[in-house]
Amino acid sequence: MSSDFETSKKILENIKAQNIRPLPLWVFKVRRLFLVLIFILSTAFGALSISILLVNLNLFSQYSQIHIGRGFGVFLIPAIWFSLSFVFFIIAYFHFRKSPRGYRASSIKLIAGLTVLSITLGSSLFLSGYSQTIHRFIRHKIPVYGNLHQQMNDLSCRPIEGMLCGQIENDVATFFSSKVSILTDENGQKWLVDINGAEVRGLPRIEIEKRVRIWGNITDQNVFKALEVRPYPLD
Amino acid sequence: MNDEQWVVRALKSPDDFFCLVVKYEPILKKYIRRISGVSEEAAQDIAQDVFIKAYRNLNDFDTDLKFSSWIYRITHNHTLNEVAKNRKFVFGPNEDFLNRFAKDIAQESFSDSAVALDILNQKALGDCLESLPENQKSVILLYFWEDKSYEEISDILHLPIGTVGTYLNRAKVKIKACLEKVL
């Protein structure tokens, strides 16, 4: 008998002697399910991060019109969300690769596919308005993030530098029909706002007690001349 | 009966696993020696571990794939783990491999047939192979020595098929450059 055959016999004897049995099928099924679950979750969280990134970029693009170069606070929040979406993207990529036949996919196609999927899902969340709701929830539930966001707001809402943010006090019809309307700012200060001649954008949906941002300038104590009125995107 | 049918039977009884062990033990032992350069005895030990590991994870085998690819993958990974330290590539005297590989390299890279003969210089070729990155070296070995297809190499190394081709071409270019320097 050849030595190879003897070695094979020895291997079989060892398997029997150590009473080795194949691990049950469910162990591998659970493992595969776990990989799929991690892939789905990381893709979902990646898409969510992208949608919240879009919320913040939208906010930033509006702030940047008058507040460019105000410091890192404005850049920090979009950077956080971008980093998070990147991290989730990497997790999704590697878990897909570890799935039973995931290694067969070409890297370029996989990266392109995941990018398209994440951006599509993220944009859908953003356009549907869910991301704004989730963003608001995170702002209220995570104090550190909420404070950071507040700093970002503070950078933007400075009447002395041309932007007044606050809540409409009188009803909307009156707000637009009257030359002077009342608005309470972030600090609880009441302002008389001269709307006459101001450009109004995206406000038909705004109701009483909704918040607005107004570009313009201070003309007197607690009197603000509006040049442009927009909804406050945080709400 | 094919390998995959033996796997189904082996799940019920280790005796049926014996046929697979008999068939693959000599092949894998050689493969272990080729990729690691360990002694015959060490290769036997590693092969034994590989079969025990394979038997334990038999339910993880996807019967739509080739059993040979699956067992090669376990062998490849286990061997590299076992001999991660002080591993040395051993270029053994395998005429078939040398002929195929040298012919391929010579046809693509050298017009002079005398140079092709020089490529048969085992040490030079062995040294050049040794200088390759691990993944390129593995692809070269599996393709030229183990006679595996791109798809099988993809299943063994868990690489996309396109990447297997890329590694193979890169390895050939590097070996050509290396041989031009050495010879």
Side-chain angles (χ1 to χ4, degrees), chain A residues 189 191-192 218-224:
Chain A
Q189 178 104 44
W191 289 80
L192 291 176
I218 297 172
T219 51
D220 203 345
Q221 191 169 358
N222 294 340
V223 178
F224 197 83

Side-chain angles (χ1 to χ4, degrees), chain A residues 52-97:
Chain A
I52 297 178
L53 171 69
L54 290 174
V55 170
N56 283 286
L57 284 179
N58 181 42
L59 195 63
F60 169 68
S61 68
Q62 294 175 43
Y63 285 170
S64 66
Q65 291 174 10
I66 60 164
H67 291 290
I68 202 90
R70 281 279 172 82
F72 292 108
V74 185
F75 296 96
L76 191 59
I77 292 176
I80 289 170
W81 288 108
F82 179 79
S83 307
L84 274 176
S85 26
F86 184 71
V87 167
F88 285 124
F89 184 92
I90 297 289
I91 295 171
Y93 177 88
F94 282 105
H95 280 80
F96 184 87
R97 274 265 178 260

Side-chain angles (χ1 to χ4, degrees), chain B residues 69-92:
Chain B
S69 301
W70 186 69
I71 196 86
Y72 259 90
R73 173 161 180 77
I74 296 174
T75 308
H76 187 85
N77 290 343
H78 188 71
T79 306
L80 294 191
N81 285 342
E82 284 293 302
V83 290
K85 288 173 189 171
N86 303 319
R87 182 158 42 87
K88 182 159 177 21
F89 185 82
V90 168
F91 194 68

Side-chain angles (χ1 to χ4, degrees), chain A residues 4 14 16 23 101 103, chain B residues 15 29 48 56 62 155:
Chain A
D4 283 335
N14 274 335
K16 285 181 173 176
L23 288 167
R101 303 217 185 149
Y103 61 87
Chain B
D15 288 324
K29 207 162 60 185
Q48 179 165 306
R56 196 170 271 142
D62 180 352
D155 290 336

Side-chain angles (χ1 to χ4, degrees), chain B residues 66-183:
Chain B
K66 278 187 164 183
F67 177 77
S68 64
S69 301
W70 186 69
I71 196 86
Y72 259 90
R73 173 161 180 77
I74 296 174
T75 308
H76 187 85
N77 290 343
H78 188 71
T79 306
L80 294 191
N81 285 342
E82 284 293 302
V83 290
K85 288 173 189 171
N86 303 319
R87 182 158 42 87
K88 182 159 177 21
F89 185 82
V90 168
F91 194 68
N94 182 310
E95 288 296 321
D96 285 347
F97 170 69
L98 281 172
N99 286 331
R100 274 191 70 206
F101 186 56
K103 208 171 160 188
D104 194 272
I105 290 281
Q107 273 173 355
E108 283 187 11
S109 318
F110 304 98
S111 53
D112 188 352
S113 60
V115 178
L117 285 174
D118 282 341
I119 292 170
L120 287 172
N121 178 324
Q122 291 186 21
K123 193 178 180 312
L125 193 47
D127 288 346
C128 289
L129 278 169
E130 181 60 33
S131 69
L132 292 176
E134 188 59 53
N135 43 25
Q136 292 178 15
K137 197 163 49 183
S138 301
V139 169
I140 284 276
L141 263 178
L142 288 164
Y143 186 75
F144 286 104
W145 204 327
E146 303 293 327
D147 211 13
K148 298 288 180 193
S149 67
Y150 276 28
E151 199 176 338
E152 286 173 306
I153 298 173
S154 159
D155 290 336
I156 294 167
L157 300 178
H158 275 200
L159 293 171
I161 291 177
T163 309
V164 172
T166 307
Y167 282 169
L168 197 61
N169 289 332
R170 277 187 200 159
K172 282 189 204 168
V173 169
K174 281 184 189 168
I175 286 175
K176 181 196 165 191
C178 173
L179 286 172
E180 280 172 344
K181 227 184 274 176
V182 175
L183 294 174

Side-chain angles (χ1 to χ4, degrees), chain A residues 187-227:
Chain A
N187 302 316
Q189 178 104 44
K190 287 196 185 300
W191 289 80
L192 291 176
V193 183
D194 181 0
I195 304 289
N196 193 26
E199 190 182 348
V200 180
R201 287 187 186 176
L203 278 170
R205 289 169 297 177
I206 300 293
E207 297 156 7
I208 189 166
E209 293 187 349
K210 283 287 177 184
R211 293 163 76 192
V212 290
R213 290 173 304 147
I214 302 171
W215 278 267
N217 47 62
I218 297 172
T219 51
D220 203 345
Q221 191 169 358
N222 294 340
V223 178
F224 197 83
K225 168 66 185 161
L227 298 173

Side-chain angles (χ1 to χ4, degrees), chain A residues 1-8, chain B residues 25 29 40 44:
Chain A
M1 247 186 272
S2 73
S3 71
D4 283 335
F5 190 79
E6 284 302 315
T7 311
S8 300
Chain B
E25 193 270 339
K29 207 162 60 185
E40 174 77 15
Q44 264 182 18

